[in-house]
Each structure stands twice: as C-alpha cells, then as structure tokens.
Amino acid sequence: MTVNDMVSILDAEIITAGDLNAEVKTACGSDMMSDVLAFVKDQSVLLTGLNNPQAIRTAEMMDMRCVVFVRGKQPAPDVVELARQKEITLLKTQHRMFTACGLLYTNGLSGGCKS
Amino acid sequence: MNNTLSFDYIVPGDDFTRAGEASSDVKHKLKQIGYDPDAIRRVAIAMYEGEINMVIHAGGGKAHVEISPEKIEMILADHGPGIRDIDLAMREGYSTAPDNVRALGFGAGMGMSNMKKCSDTMEIDTKVGKGTTLHMTVLAKKKQ
C-alpha cells in the first residue's frame, strides 16, 4: 500500500506530507525508541504514541518514510518542522495503537521484523 | 592526498530535544558523498545511540567523526560518571536510565549492545567519576 492508502485506512489526518505515494510494505508499532533502534529492520512506517522530536530522529536514522501518531496525539510545532525538514510524512489517527496496527495488518501490511 | 574528512560536534547535555543532531548531520554528509547505504544506516544508529547515552547519562560531550573511503570512525567522549560495570552495561535489557528518560522513549537497555551490533569495532575507555570515551568503527563494506 501507499502512504495515501494508510491515510484512508486509518482515517488519518495529514500533519505534514512527504511522499504520499511512497510504497509501504512493513510497519512497526512502539513507544520505545530504544527498541525500535535495536530490533527494527527495513520498516518504512513507525506507529507511536510518543510525540517528541526523538520519534522523528529515530524514524530518520532508520530511513522510515512515515510516522503515525496514534491515540490522537498531536506533535508540537518544532516536531512537525523537524519532520518537514527530513521529508518524513506525519499522520495522526484517533485509533489506539492496537487498532491502528490491526487495521494496517488486515489490509496487507506486515511486521516483517527480523531478529 | 588525504582522503579523510573529519568533523567535530558538541553534543549538548542540557537539551534532550536536540539529541541526534550530530548523527543527523553525519548521515546527511555520508548520503551526499554517496557512501554505502548499509554502512550509513549502521553509522547513524550507532552514533545516535551514543549521542542519546551522552545526553542521558553524562550531560553531553563531544563527538569526532572521520570518514574515509574504507571506514568511518566515531569517537564519542564525555566527562560523565563513567561506566561502573561494562559487562552489565552491555547486557541487553539492563539500564540505569531514570524513569523520566524511559517516558521519553529511551532506557530500554538496548543501546550499548545495539552500538556493538551496528559497528565493526567498538572500544570503551571509561573511568568512574572521570568519563567515558567510546571509539566505534564502521567499515564501508561489512565484514562477513
């Protein structure tokens, strides 16, 4: 699916747009950036309830294209600006983490984690 | 001819929101050079983990990075409390990070082992009460 497809599946609001046509194959849901850095491989989307700048930095270091804030979390303007500079799409959904991940999974997105 | 580029950064210890700026800059430079993508990602992750550690545990520090066609060297030095037990610090899941740091998404106790995993060599020079210097090398093409 594309980032655009995720917007409709999650009924998400686009906070800042990078490449909305970017192809997305795998995603990771976590509020713990340490774990994302240590365990995640080749995932293009991060779903998180953590809305500080380090969520964007982590996505940047991991070459992720999109960060989805769950539970309706709205990042502060400096966080949005950082994502804009890095051309990372930011989405916001009212769904909770479990539901958001479930919706994406049932629509064909996989976890794709390697140990 | 000298093919090595070197860069120095101050990692501010008083502002968690700025942690990662040095790693981001190094990643950007390596992309511009057209470095191997796998090496770039390993450098970015290892250095970012190091920066976060310097901010969480040591009140900031300095980072020195040297980029050559063969390898990238990162020297992260701080004047923090030092590491009392390196074996324990390397153990996955072990962390001395306070709760406020965990609330910010860090302190899962994966940092040190992840740095070792991402780098080809890692040396730790630490003295309790004096500080820690971490020397990591990432080869342009990872050893098999």
Side-chain angles (χ1 to χ4, degrees):
Chain A
M1 69 177 72
T2 64
V3 173
N4 248 334
D5 294 331
M6 287 176 52
V7 174
S8 50
I9 291 166
L10 296 173
D11 196 15
E13 178 187 323
I14 299 168
I15 300 170
T16 181
D19 180 5
L20 294 176
N21 293 314
E23 187 69 24
V24 173
K25 289 192 173 136
T26 57
C28 161
S30 180
D31 288 352
M32 205 68 194
M33 297 303 111
S34 300
D35 281 347
V36 176
L37 287 164
F39 293 115
V40 173
K41 297 271 186 298
D42 301 325
Q43 247 111 95
S44 39
V45 176
L46 172 66
L47 292 99
T48 186
L50 187 83
N51 61 351
N52 68 28
Q54 300 312 332
I56 312 300
R57 286 280 181 224
T58 300
E60 180 195 356
M61 299 306 159
M62 309 298 285
D63 295 322
M64 289 172 162
R65 298 184 174 117
C66 177
V67 178
V68 181
F69 294 107
V70 295
R71 307 190 285 273
K73 294 283 186 82
Q74 173 66 42
D78 60 326
V79 177
V80 177
E81 176 55 25
L82 183 62
R84 198 191 58 74
Q85 285 171 18
K86 303 298 171 190
E87 297 175 347
I88 294 170
T89 298
L90 294 190
L91 304 180
K92 178 171 92 171
T93 178
Q94 295 299 325
H95 290 300
R96 295 182 183 189
M97 178 76 92
F98 181 80
T99 311
C101 291
L103 284 168
L104 294 176
Y105 190 84
T106 50
N107 279 279
L109 214 57
S110 77
C113 260
K114 289 180 266 177
S115 60
Chain B
M1 195 176 85
N2 187 358
N3 280 330
T4 303
L5 298 169
S6 68
F7 303 96
D8 288 284
Y9 301 91
I10 302 286
V11 178
D14 55 351
D15 186 358
F16 182 79
T17 62
R18 291 184 59 196
E21 284 183 357
S23 311
S24 175
D25 192 63
V26 169
K27 184 172 189 188
H28 180 67
K29 286 187 163 74
L30 289 169
K31 268 187 173 173
Q32 279 183 321
I33 293 168
Y35 223 84
D36 176 68
D38 176 62
I40 294 178
R41 191 189 290 191
R42 289 188 291 123
V43 165
I45 295 170
M47 189 168 165
Y48 181 51
E49 292 271 24
E51 266 195 271
I52 292 284
N53 272 358
M54 278 203 279
V55 174
I56 292 174
H57 298 291
K62 287 179 180 173
H64 176 77
V65 179
E66 292 195 4
I67 302 168
S68 74
E70 298 79 29
K71 63 183 178 182
I72 296 147
E73 287 189 85
M74 295 161 272
I75 299 169
L76 308 178
D78 67 57
H79 294 288
I83 303 169
R84 204 167 284 278
D85 186 333
I86 292 178
D87 289 340
L88 203 54
M90 291 299 298
R91 191 184 299 170
E92 292 189 355
Y94 177 81
S95 174
T96 56
D99 284 346
N100 64 328
V101 168
R102 290 171 201 263
L104 294 167
F106 290 90
M110 300 305 298
M112 296 289 286
S113 57
N114 198 24
M115 280 186 262
K116 193 171 173 59
K117 219 176 280 175
C118 289
S119 56
D120 289 288
T121 66
M122 181 167 112
E123 289 164 24
I124 306 167
D125 180 13
T126 186
K127 286 189 181 65
V128 172
K130 298 274 186 196
T132 299
T133 298
L134 203 65
H135 189 161
M136 293 184 285
T137 306
V138 170
L139 301 176
K141 291 288 176 195
K142 198 173 187 178
K143 283 180 198 164
Q144 293 302 311

Short mmCIF file of all heavy atoms in Angstrom, two decimals, chain A residues 31-43 50 52-64 78 82 86 115, chain B residues 16-21 23-25 27 31 37 41 44-45 48-49 52 92 102-111 114 117:
data_model
loop_
_atom_site.label_atom_id
_atom_site.label_comp_id
_atom_site.label_asym_id
_atom_site.label_seq_id
_atom_site.Cartn_x
_atom_site.Cartn_y
_atom_site.Cartn_z
N ASP A 31 6.26 2.57 21.42
CA ASP A 31 6.51 3.86 22.08
C ASP A 31 7.95 3.91 22.60
O ASP A 31 8.37 4.90 23.17
CB ASP A 31 5.54 4.07 23.26
CG ASP A 31 4.13 4.37 22.76
OD1 ASP A 31 3.95 4.55 21.54
OD2 ASP A 31 3.21 4.39 23.60
N MET A 32 8.67 2.82 22.44
CA MET A 32 10.02 2.72 22.99
C MET A 32 11.02 2.83 21.84
O MET A 32 11.25 1.87 21.10
CB MET A 32 10.16 1.37 23.70
CG MET A 32 11.21 1.35 24.77
SD MET A 32 10.73 2.38 26.16
CE MET A 32 12.27 2.50 27.03
N MET A 33 11.62 4.00 21.70
CA MET A 33 12.53 4.23 20.58
C MET A 33 13.79 3.36 20.69
O MET A 33 14.36 2.96 19.68
CB MET A 33 12.91 5.72 20.50
CG MET A 33 11.73 6.63 20.22
SD MET A 33 10.82 6.24 18.70
CE MET A 33 9.27 5.63 19.36
N SER A 34 14.21 3.06 21.91
CA SER A 34 15.37 2.17 22.09
C SER A 34 15.13 0.84 21.40
O SER A 34 16.02 0.29 20.76
CB SER A 34 15.60 1.85 23.57
OG SER A 34 15.85 3.00 24.30
N ASP A 35 13.91 0.31 21.55
CA ASP A 35 13.58 -0.98 20.95
C ASP A 35 13.48 -0.86 19.43
O ASP A 35 13.88 -1.76 18.71
CB ASP A 35 12.27 -1.52 21.52
CG ASP A 35 12.45 -2.14 22.90
OD1 ASP A 35 13.62 -2.37 23.29
OD2 ASP A 35 11.45 -2.36 23.59
N VAL A 36 12.95 0.25 18.97
CA VAL A 36 12.84 0.46 17.52
C VAL A 36 14.25 0.45 16.91
O VAL A 36 14.51 -0.22 15.92
CB VAL A 36 12.13 1.80 17.20
CG1 VAL A 36 12.12 2.06 15.69
CG2 VAL A 36 10.70 1.77 17.73
N LEU A 37 15.17 1.15 17.56
CA LEU A 37 16.55 1.23 17.05
C LEU A 37 17.24 -0.12 17.08
O LEU A 37 18.08 -0.42 16.24
CB LEU A 37 17.35 2.23 17.89
CG LEU A 37 17.02 3.70 17.66
CD1 LEU A 37 17.56 4.55 18.80
CD2 LEU A 37 17.56 4.19 16.33
N ALA A 38 16.89 -0.94 18.07
CA ALA A 38 17.61 -2.20 18.25
C ALA A 38 17.01 -3.35 17.45
O ALA A 38 17.73 -4.24 17.01
CB ALA A 38 17.63 -2.57 19.73
N PHE A 39 15.69 -3.35 17.24
CA PHE A 39 15.05 -4.53 16.67
C PHE A 39 14.50 -4.37 15.27
O PHE A 39 14.24 -5.36 14.59
CB PHE A 39 13.90 -4.99 17.59
CG PHE A 39 14.37 -5.49 18.91
CD1 PHE A 39 14.05 -4.80 20.07
CD2 PHE A 39 15.16 -6.62 19.00
CE1 PHE A 39 14.49 -5.26 21.31
CE2 PHE A 39 15.60 -7.08 20.23
CZ PHE A 39 15.27 -6.40 21.39
N VAL A 40 14.27 -3.14 14.86
CA VAL A 40 13.54 -2.94 13.61
C VAL A 40 14.48 -2.95 12.41
O VAL A 40 15.56 -2.36 12.45
CB VAL A 40 12.75 -1.61 13.68
CG1 VAL A 40 12.14 -1.28 12.34
CG2 VAL A 40 11.67 -1.73 14.74
N LYS A 41 14.06 -3.65 11.37
CA LYS A 41 14.86 -3.70 10.14
C LYS A 41 13.95 -3.39 8.94
O LYS A 41 12.90 -4.00 8.79
CB LYS A 41 15.45 -5.10 9.93
CG LYS A 41 16.43 -5.52 11.02
CD LYS A 41 17.85 -5.08 10.69
CE LYS A 41 18.85 -5.62 11.68
NZ LYS A 41 18.66 -5.16 13.05
N ASP A 42 14.38 -2.47 8.11
CA ASP A 42 13.72 -2.20 6.84
C ASP A 42 12.21 -1.95 6.95
O ASP A 42 11.43 -2.42 6.15
CB ASP A 42 13.95 -3.36 5.86
CG ASP A 42 15.43 -3.58 5.61
OD1 ASP A 42 16.15 -2.57 5.59
OD2 ASP A 42 15.84 -4.73 5.46
N GLN A 43 11.83 -1.24 7.99
CA GLN A 43 10.42 -0.89 8.10
C GLN A 43 10.23 0.55 7.65
O GLN A 43 11.07 1.40 7.94
CB GLN A 43 9.95 -1.03 9.56
CG GLN A 43 8.96 -2.14 9.69
CD GLN A 43 9.52 -3.30 10.45
OE1 GLN A 43 9.30 -3.38 11.63
NE2 GLN A 43 10.26 -4.16 9.80
N LEU A 50 4.41 8.28 21.07
CA LEU A 50 5.47 9.18 21.57
C LEU A 50 5.61 10.35 20.60
O LEU A 50 6.02 10.14 19.46
CB LEU A 50 6.79 8.41 21.67
CG LEU A 50 7.93 9.17 22.34
CD1 LEU A 50 7.83 9.05 23.85
CD2 LEU A 50 9.28 8.66 21.87
N ASN A 52 7.55 13.22 20.81
CA ASN A 52 8.67 14.16 20.98
C ASN A 52 9.61 14.09 19.75
O ASN A 52 9.45 13.23 18.89
CB ASN A 52 9.40 13.90 22.31
CG ASN A 52 10.15 12.59 22.35
OD1 ASN A 52 10.58 12.07 21.32
ND2 ASN A 52 10.32 12.04 23.54
N PRO A 53 10.59 15.01 19.67
CA PRO A 53 11.46 15.04 18.47
C PRO A 53 12.21 13.73 18.24
O PRO A 53 12.58 13.43 17.11
CB PRO A 53 12.45 16.17 18.77
CG PRO A 53 11.81 16.99 19.82
CD PRO A 53 10.95 16.08 20.62
N GLN A 54 12.41 12.95 19.29
CA GLN A 54 13.20 11.72 19.12
C GLN A 54 12.44 10.66 18.32
O GLN A 54 13.05 9.76 17.75
CB GLN A 54 13.66 11.18 20.48
CG GLN A 54 14.54 12.15 21.27
CD GLN A 54 15.68 12.76 20.46
OE1 GLN A 54 16.16 12.15 19.51
NE2 GLN A 54 16.10 13.96 20.82
N ALA A 55 11.11 10.77 18.27
CA ALA A 55 10.35 9.86 17.40
C ALA A 55 10.71 10.14 15.94
O ALA A 55 10.86 9.21 15.13
CB ALA A 55 8.85 10.05 17.62
N ILE A 56 10.88 11.42 15.61
CA ILE A 56 11.25 11.79 14.24
C ILE A 56 12.71 11.41 13.97
O ILE A 56 13.04 10.87 12.91
CB ILE A 56 11.07 13.31 14.00
CG1 ILE A 56 9.70 13.79 14.51
CG2 ILE A 56 11.29 13.66 12.53
CD1 ILE A 56 8.52 13.13 13.86
N ARG A 57 13.58 11.70 14.94
CA ARG A 57 15.00 11.35 14.79
C ARG A 57 15.17 9.84 14.57
O ARG A 57 15.97 9.41 13.73
CB ARG A 57 15.78 11.76 16.05
CG ARG A 57 16.01 13.23 16.17
CD ARG A 57 17.18 13.69 15.31
NE ARG A 57 17.42 15.10 15.46
CZ ARG A 57 17.67 15.92 14.46
NH1 ARG A 57 17.71 15.47 13.22
NH2 ARG A 57 17.89 17.20 14.67
N THR A 58 14.43 9.06 15.35
CA THR A 58 14.53 7.61 15.22
C THR A 58 14.09 7.19 13.82
O THR A 58 14.77 6.40 13.16
CB THR A 58 13.66 6.92 16.30
OG1 THR A 58 14.15 7.32 17.59
CG2 THR A 58 13.73 5.40 16.19
N ALA A 59 12.98 7.75 13.36
CA ALA A 59 12.50 7.43 12.00
C ALA A 59 13.55 7.82 10.97
O ALA A 59 13.81 7.08 10.01
CB ALA A 59 11.18 8.16 11.73
N GLU A 60 14.17 8.96 11.19
CA GLU A 60 15.21 9.44 10.26
C GLU A 60 16.38 8.45 10.21
O GLU A 60 16.83 8.07 9.13
CB GLU A 60 15.71 10.82 10.72
CG GLU A 60 16.79 11.39 9.81
CD GLU A 60 17.54 12.56 10.46
OE1 GLU A 60 17.18 12.99 11.57
OE2 GLU A 60 18.51 13.01 9.82
N MET A 61 16.87 8.05 11.38
CA MET A 61 18.03 7.15 11.42
C MET A 61 17.70 5.80 10.77
O MET A 61 18.56 5.15 10.20
CB MET A 61 18.48 6.92 12.87
CG MET A 61 18.92 8.16 13.59
SD MET A 61 20.18 9.09 12.71
CE MET A 61 19.97 10.70 13.48
N MET A 62 16.42 5.38 10.88
CA MET A 62 16.02 4.08 10.36
C MET A 62 15.50 4.16 8.91
O MET A 62 14.96 3.18 8.42
CB MET A 62 14.90 3.48 11.24
CG MET A 62 15.20 3.44 12.72
SD MET A 62 16.61 2.42 13.15
CE MET A 62 15.92 0.79 12.97
N ASP A 63 15.65 5.33 8.29
CA ASP A 63 15.18 5.53 6.91
C ASP A 63 13.68 5.27 6.75
O ASP A 63 13.24 4.72 5.74
CB ASP A 63 15.95 4.63 5.93
CG ASP A 63 17.43 4.98 5.86
OD1 ASP A 63 17.74 6.18 5.91
OD2 ASP A 63 18.26 4.06 5.78
N MET A 64 12.90 5.63 7.74
CA MET A 64 11.44 5.44 7.64
C MET A 64 10.81 6.63 6.93
O MET A 64 11.26 7.76 7.06
CB MET A 64 10.83 5.29 9.03
CG MET A 64 11.19 3.98 9.68
SD MET A 64 10.64 3.98 11.38
CE MET A 64 10.67 2.24 11.75
N ASP A 78 7.64 22.31 16.71
CA ASP A 78 9.05 22.04 16.40
C ASP A 78 9.25 20.61 15.92
O ASP A 78 10.13 20.32 15.09
CB ASP A 78 9.95 22.33 17.63
CG ASP A 78 9.59 21.50 18.84
OD1 ASP A 78 8.38 21.22 19.02
OD2 ASP A 78 10.50 21.13 19.61
N LEU A 82 10.67 19.57 12.22
CA LEU A 82 11.78 18.62 12.03
C LEU A 82 11.41 17.58 10.98
O LEU A 82 12.21 17.27 10.09
CB LEU A 82 12.12 17.95 13.37
CG LEU A 82 13.30 16.98 13.38
CD1 LEU A 82 14.60 17.68 13.00
CD2 LEU A 82 13.45 16.32 14.76
N LYS A 86 13.01 16.81 7.18
CA LYS A 86 13.53 15.48 6.82
C LYS A 86 12.65 14.77 5.79
O LYS A 86 12.88 13.60 5.47
CB LYS A 86 13.65 14.60 8.08
CG LYS A 86 14.54 15.20 9.17
CD LYS A 86 15.96 15.38 8.71
CE LYS A 86 16.79 16.17 9.69
NZ LYS A 86 18.10 16.54 9.15
N SER A 115 15.13 -10.76 13.51
CA SER A 115 15.81 -10.63 14.80
C SER A 115 17.24 -10.19 14.60
O SER A 115 17.78 -10.31 13.52
CB SER A 115 15.78 -11.93 15.56
OG SER A 115 16.43 -12.91 14.81
N PHE B 16 17.42 17.56 25.76
CA PHE B 16 17.16 16.23 25.20
C PHE B 16 16.60 16.33 23.79
O PHE B 16 16.86 15.47 22.95
CB PHE B 16 16.18 15.48 26.11
CG PHE B 16 15.87 14.09 25.64
CD1 PHE B 16 16.77 13.05 25.86
CD2 PHE B 16 14.70 13.80 24.98
CE1 PHE B 16 16.51 11.77 25.43
CE2 PHE B 16 14.42 12.52 24.54
CZ PHE B 16 15.33 11.50 24.77
N THR B 17 15.85 17.40 23.52
CA THR B 17 15.21 17.52 22.21
C THR B 17 16.24 17.63 21.09
O THR B 17 15.95 17.32 19.95
CB THR B 17 14.26 18.74 22.14
OG1 THR B 17 15.04 19.92 22.33
CG2 THR B 17 13.18 18.66 23.19
N ARG B 18 17.46 18.10 21.41
CA ARG B 18 18.47 18.28 20.38
C ARG B 18 19.34 17.04 20.17
O ARG B 18 20.18 17.02 19.25
CB ARG B 18 19.35 19.49 20.71
CG ARG B 18 18.59 20.81 20.58
CD ARG B 18 19.48 21.99 20.83
NE ARG B 18 20.61 22.03 19.90
CZ ARG B 18 21.69 22.77 20.08
NH1 ARG B 18 21.79 23.52 21.17
NH2 ARG B 18 22.66 22.77 19.20
N ALA B 19 19.16 16.03 21.00
CA ALA B 19 19.95 14.81 20.85
C ALA B 19 19.72 14.21 19.47
O ALA B 19 18.58 14.08 19.03
CB ALA B 19 19.56 13.81 21.93
N GLY B 20 20.78 13.89 18.79
CA GLY B 20 20.66 13.30 17.46
C GLY B 20 21.03 14.25 16.33
O GLY B 20 21.13 13.84 15.19
N GLU B 21 21.26 15.51 16.67
CA GLU B 21 21.60 16.48 15.61
C GLU B 21 22.93 16.13 14.94
O GLU B 21 23.07 16.26 13.73
CB GLU B 21 21.66 17.90 16.19
CG GLU B 21 20.27 18.48 16.45
CD GLU B 21 20.30 19.92 16.94
OE1 GLU B 21 21.41 20.46 17.15
OE2 GLU B 21 19.21 20.47 17.13
N SER B 23 24.37 13.13 14.74
CA SER B 23 24.18 11.91 13.94
C SER B 23 23.47 12.23 12.64
O SER B 23 23.79 11.69 11.58
CB SER B 23 23.34 10.90 14.72
OG SER B 23 23.83 10.73 16.01
N SER B 24 22.47 13.11 12.74
CA SER B 24 21.71 13.51 11.56
C SER B 24 22.62 14.19 10.54
O SER B 24 22.54 13.91 9.34
CB SER B 24 20.58 14.45 12.00
OG SER B 24 19.91 14.94 10.88
N ASP B 25 23.51 15.04 11.04
CA ASP B 25 24.42 15.74 10.15
C ASP B 25 25.40 14.77 9.47
O ASP B 25 25.66 14.88 8.27
CB ASP B 25 25.20 16.82 10.93
CG ASP B 25 25.94 17.76 10.00
OD1 ASP B 25 25.28 18.45 9.21
OD2 ASP B 25 27.20 17.76 10.02
N LYS B 27 24.89 11.60 8.95
CA LYS B 27 24.12 10.80 7.99
C LYS B 27 23.93 11.58 6.68
O LYS B 27 24.11 11.03 5.60
CB LYS B 27 22.75 10.45 8.60
CG LYS B 27 21.95 9.55 7.71
CD LYS B 27 20.70 9.02 8.34
CE LYS B 27 20.14 7.97 7.38
NZ LYS B 27 18.84 7.49 7.76
N LYS B 31 25.37 10.56 2.95
CA LYS B 31 24.46 10.42 1.81
C LYS B 31 24.95 11.25 0.64
O LYS B 31 24.94 10.82 -0.50
CB LYS B 31 23.05 10.86 2.20
CG LYS B 31 22.18 9.74 2.70
CD LYS B 31 20.76 10.26 2.89
CE LYS B 31 19.80 9.16 3.24
NZ LYS B 31 18.47 9.70 3.59
N PRO B 37 24.79 2.49 1.50
CA PRO B 37 23.61 2.72 2.34
C PRO B 37 23.56 1.91 3.63
O PRO B 37 23.12 2.41 4.67
CB PRO B 37 22.44 2.33 1.42
CG PRO B 37 22.99 2.42 0.04
CD PRO B 37 24.45 2.12 0.13
N ARG B 41 23.45 3.54 7.43
CA ARG B 41 22.45 3.27 8.46
C ARG B 41 23.09 2.78 9.76
O ARG B 41 22.69 3.16 10.86
CB ARG B 41 21.41 2.26 7.97
CG ARG B 41 20.22 2.19 8.94
CD ARG B 41 19.28 1.08 8.64
NE ARG B 41 18.53 1.32 7.41
CZ ARG B 41 17.49 0.57 7.04
NH1 ARG B 41 17.09 -0.42 7.79
NH2 ARG B 41 16.87 0.82 5.91
N ALA B 44 24.57 5.76 11.45
CA ALA B 44 23.53 6.62 12.01
C ALA B 44 22.98 6.04 13.31
O ALA B 44 22.84 6.76 14.32
CB ALA B 44 22.40 6.78 10.99
N ILE B 45 22.70 4.75 13.31
CA ILE B 45 22.12 4.14 14.51
C ILE B 45 23.13 4.11 15.66
O ILE B 45 22.82 4.50 16.79
CB ILE B 45 21.60 2.70 14.20
CG1 ILE B 45 20.44 2.77 13.21
CG2 ILE B 45 21.17 2.00 15.48
CD1 ILE B 45 20.01 1.42 12.65
N TYR B 48 23.78 7.68 16.92
CA TYR B 48 22.57 8.22 17.58
C TYR B 48 22.42 7.60 18.98
O TYR B 48 22.15 8.31 19.95
CB TYR B 48 21.36 7.91 16.71
CG TYR B 48 20.04 8.41 17.22
CD1 TYR B 48 19.87 9.74 17.62
CD2 TYR B 48 18.93 7.57 17.30
CE1 TYR B 48 18.64 10.19 18.06
CE2 TYR B 48 17.70 8.02 17.73
CZ TYR B 48 17.56 9.33 18.11
OH TYR B 48 16.34 9.77 18.55
N GLU B 49 22.61 6.30 19.07
CA GLU B 49 22.56 5.65 20.39
C GLU B 49 23.61 6.26 21.32
O GLU B 49 23.35 6.50 22.50
CB GLU B 49 22.83 4.13 20.25
CG GLU B 49 21.76 3.34 19.54
CD GLU B 49 20.67 2.83 20.48
OE1 GLU B 49 20.47 3.41 21.56
OE2 GLU B 49 19.98 1.86 20.09
N ILE B 52 22.49 9.76 22.41
CA ILE B 52 21.42 9.66 23.41
C ILE B 52 22.04 9.30 24.77
O ILE B 52 21.70 9.90 25.81
CB ILE B 52 20.38 8.57 22.99
CG1 ILE B 52 19.61 9.03 21.76
CG2 ILE B 52 19.45 8.23 24.15
CD1 ILE B 52 18.55 10.09 22.00
N GLU B 92 21.77 -6.93 27.25
CA GLU B 92 20.51 -6.42 26.69
C GLU B 92 19.44 -6.36 27.77
O GLU B 92 19.23 -7.32 28.51
CB GLU B 92 20.05 -7.32 25.53
CG GLU B 92 20.98 -7.22 24.34
CD GLU B 92 20.45 -7.92 23.09
OE1 GLU B 92 19.40 -8.56 23.18
OE2 GLU B 92 21.12 -7.81 22.05
N ARG B 102 12.86 7.05 30.41
CA ARG B 102 12.03 5.98 29.82
C ARG B 102 10.74 6.56 29.25
O ARG B 102 10.26 6.12 28.22
CB ARG B 102 11.71 4.91 30.88
CG ARG B 102 12.94 4.10 31.27
CD ARG B 102 12.64 3.21 32.45
NE ARG B 102 13.86 2.81 33.12
CZ ARG B 102 14.49 1.66 32.91
NH1 ARG B 102 14.01 0.80 32.05
NH2 ARG B 102 15.60 1.39 33.55
N ALA B 103 10.22 7.55 29.95
CA ALA B 103 8.99 8.20 29.47
C ALA B 103 9.23 8.91 28.14
O ALA B 103 8.28 9.15 27.38
CB ALA B 103 8.48 9.20 30.51
N LEU B 104 10.47 9.22 27.84
CA LEU B 104 10.81 9.89 26.58
C LEU B 104 11.12 8.88 25.47
O LEU B 104 11.48 9.24 24.36
CB LEU B 104 12.01 10.82 26.77
CG LEU B 104 11.76 12.02 27.70
CD1 LEU B 104 13.06 12.69 28.07
CD2 LEU B 104 10.82 13.01 27.04
N GLY B 105 11.01 7.59 25.79
CA GLY B 105 11.17 6.55 24.76
C GLY B 105 12.53 5.88 24.76
O GLY B 105 12.83 5.09 23.87
N PHE B 106 13.35 6.17 25.77
CA PHE B 106 14.68 5.56 25.82
C PHE B 106 14.91 4.87 27.17
O PHE B 106 14.10 4.98 28.07
CB PHE B 106 15.75 6.61 25.54
CG PHE B 106 15.72 7.07 24.13
CD1 PHE B 106 14.94 8.15 23.75
CD2 PHE B 106 16.39 6.37 23.15
CE1 PHE B 106 14.85 8.53 22.43
CE2 PHE B 106 16.30 6.74 21.82
CZ PHE B 106 15.55 7.83 21.46
N GLY B 107 16.03 4.15 27.26
CA GLY B 107 16.33 3.47 28.51
C GLY B 107 15.80 2.05 28.54
O GLY B 107 15.48 1.54 29.60
N ALA B 108 15.71 1.41 27.37
CA ALA B 108 15.26 0.01 27.34
C ALA B 108 16.44 -0.93 27.58
O ALA B 108 16.26 -2.14 27.63
CB ALA B 108 14.60 -0.31 26.01
N GLY B 109 17.63 -0.36 27.71
CA GLY B 109 18.79 -1.19 27.97
C GLY B 109 19.29 -1.90 26.72
O GLY B 109 19.85 -2.99 26.79
N MET B 110 19.06 -1.28 25.57
CA MET B 110 19.49 -1.90 24.32
C MET B 110 20.61 -1.12 23.65
O MET B 110 21.19 -1.58 22.67
CB MET B 110 18.30 -1.97 23.35
CG MET B 110 17.11 -2.79 23.84
SD MET B 110 17.55 -4.46 24.30
CE MET B 110 18.16 -5.09 22.73
N GLY B 111 20.90 0.06 24.15
CA GLY B 111 21.82 0.99 23.48
C GLY B 111 23.22 0.45 23.25
O GLY B 111 23.70 0.44 22.12
N ASN B 114 23.34 -2.56 21.00
CA ASN B 114 22.99 -2.18 19.63
C ASN B 114 24.16 -1.46 18.95
O ASN B 114 24.41 -1.66 17.76
CB ASN B 114 21.75 -1.28 19.65
CG ASN B 114 21.06 -1.19 18.30
OD1 ASN B 114 21.20 -2.09 17.48
ND2 ASN B 114 20.33 -0.12 18.08
N LYS B 117 26.51 -4.07 17.90
CA LYS B 117 25.95 -4.80 16.76
C LYS B 117 26.14 -4.02 15.45
O LYS B 117 26.45 -4.59 14.41
CB LYS B 117 24.45 -5.02 17.01
CG LYS B 117 23.94 -6.38 16.57
CD LYS B 117 22.47 -6.53 16.95
CE LYS B 117 22.29 -6.93 18.41
NZ LYS B 117 20.87 -6.97 18.82
#
